[in-house]
Amino acid sequence: MAGWRVFLAARLHPAAADLLASAPDVAQVTAEPDLSPDALAARLAQGYHALIVRSKPRVTADLLAAASDLRVVGRAGVGVDNIDLDAARARRVTVVNAPAATTDAVAEHTLALLFAVARGIAAADASLKAGRWDKKRFLGFELAGRTLGLVGVGRIGAAVAHRAAALGMTVLGYDPYLPPETLRARGVEPVADLDALLARADVVSVHVPLTPETRGLLGPAAFAQMKDGAVVLSTARGGVVDEDALLAALESGKVRGAGLDVFAHEPPGATPLVTHPRVVATPHIAAQTEEAQERVARDIAQEVLAALRGEPLRWRVV
Ligand code: MLT
């Protein structure tokens, strides 16, 4: 069938709309980011076959019910926690994502946060800009010789491992979905369980999706298992790290510093965690590079087209 109608409900690199609009079987590409849930439902009810989102908007059961012609939802990025996958499955709506495009960007940002925490970069910059010369205040620590513990050793975890090894770090990993030989092939020493990782890691970095299983994975019990003075990094999804538990661990000194790009509620506002002097926080920008955003736009446009055409899919979620 020709005449596909595709709705872009998020701001994407123009490569997505260009690629879709040049497809001979696509009749219409509509880009309207930032609609309210009701307005989006009303638009999708006008006969759209494909919807492309980022981490917003939420694709709820109600939205899918309103969009009766919808055949595919494309997530321009990795995390699909904003999409009701059960409702999509029940309605036979295919869900695809673009998980490979942002790997390098997120891995680099993870390291950027780690360097920033280790050397107090944000605070030192703010101090100098305020006219001070606080040289003695900023005593950092080196990464070489330290142990990094990766919670999740998928694409991004593996890319972080590769970079951390080049810095002279020992890299441990815990991933119950991968066999130990896969971790070893990714340059990561496998550990038996999360506690074993937390007991040895100087830096704990989270690279898992948000699921019922991972929500609160780093909670009070996990912080209690960590080494004194550990550093915590999260560029995965808000909610995996229990923010109250992290704040308590920062205040007690159990955790020396944290680098956070994702939050349970986004935007989080100037919370005690975000404004904590030993936290470096960024507004969910790990995947926000020119290169990654162009790749992700192309990847999701191609994948959505393949789904509409009934072709084999590279990244089918549902
Ligand atoms: C992702 O899941 O791809 C990243 O968190 C980036 C994003 O959602 O913008």
Side-chain angles (χ1 to χ4, degrees):
M1 172 183 160
W4 302 118
R5 300 179 70 209
V6 183
F7 199 94
L8 311 182
R11 276 173 224 290
L12 298 174
H13 188 282
D18 291 349
L19 200 146
L20 288 161
S22 66
D25 49 348
V26 171
Q28 187 180 348
V29 181
T30 303
E32 289 181 28
D34 306 327
L35 291 181
S36 69
D38 286 349
L40 179 59
R43 293 294 275 129
L44 293 180
Q46 293 165 354
Y48 282 93
H49 304 106
L51 166 67
I52 300 184
V53 301
R54 290 187 62 180
S55 55
K56 290 189 177 137
R58 296 197 72 77
V59 181
T60 61
D62 286 349
L63 187 76
L64 291 167
S68 50
D69 291 307
L70 202 64
R71 294 178 176 220
V72 55
V73 176
R75 163 62 164 106
V78 186
V80 288
D81 45 291
N82 57 319
I83 302 172
D84 187 331
L85 300 179
D86 290 337
R89 207 172 280 117
R91 294 195 164 273
R92 297 178 176 278
V93 172
T94 301
V95 178
V96 291
N97 67 353
T102 54
T103 303
D104 288 339
V106 178
E108 289 182 10
H109 195 71
T110 305
L111 268 293
L113 288 174
L114 179 53
F115 278 119
V117 170
R119 306 306 294 268
I121 297 292
D125 177 67
S127 159
L128 193 63
K129 286 189 166 112
R132 292 193 291 273
W133 187 256
D134 282 337
K135 186 165 174 149
K136 293 203 177 83
R137 186 180 141 205
F138 295 108
L139 185 65
F141 60 90
E142 293 171 9
L143 303 180
R146 304 258 174 187
T147 297
L148 170 66
L150 298 170
V151 182
V153 192
R155 283 186 187 82
I156 294 172
V160 173
H162 179 67
R163 287 158 174 78
L167 298 173
M169 300 186 83
T170 298
V171 186
L172 314 175
Y174 167 65
D175 194 322
Y177 293 97
L178 295 173
E181 54 270 26
T182 300
L183 270 64
R184 283 191 204 98
R186 293 178 179 181
V188 176
E189 179 190 327
V191 293
D193 53 33
L194 184 58
D195 283 355
L197 180 134
L198 298 175
R200 287 178 57 196
D202 300 302
V203 178
V204 177
S205 191
V206 173
H207 302 284
V208 294
L210 180 65
T211 65
E213 192 189 356
T214 63
R215 186 177 290 280
L217 187 65
L218 293 195
F223 285 105
Q225 294 297 321
M226 284 182 197
K227 287 172 79 168
D228 291 341
V231 169
V232 174
L233 303 174
S234 183
T235 51
R237 260 310 169 274
V240 176
V241 177
D242 176 331
E243 295 180 356
D244 291 339
L246 173 57
L247 183 61
L250 282 157
E251 282 171 352
S252 72
K254 180 78 181 175
V255 165
R256 174 178 190 154
L260 305 174
D261 186 54
V262 291
F263 304 89
H265 300 288
E266 295 181 356
T271 61
L273 182 62
V274 168
T275 56
H276 192 283
R278 284 183 280 117
V279 169
V280 177
T282 50
H284 202 148
I285 57 168
Q288 290 282 108
T289 64
E290 294 165 10
E291 298 87 344
Q293 288 308 309
E294 182 167 353
R295 275 195 300 268
V296 93
R298 284 185 203 289
D299 281 359
I300 201 61
Q302 283 165 352
E303 195 71 353
V304 162
L305 277 177
L308 289 170
R309 293 169 179 165
E311 293 171 358
L313 296 173
R314 289 176 290 176
W315 302 301
R316 183 181 198 129
V317 180
V318 164

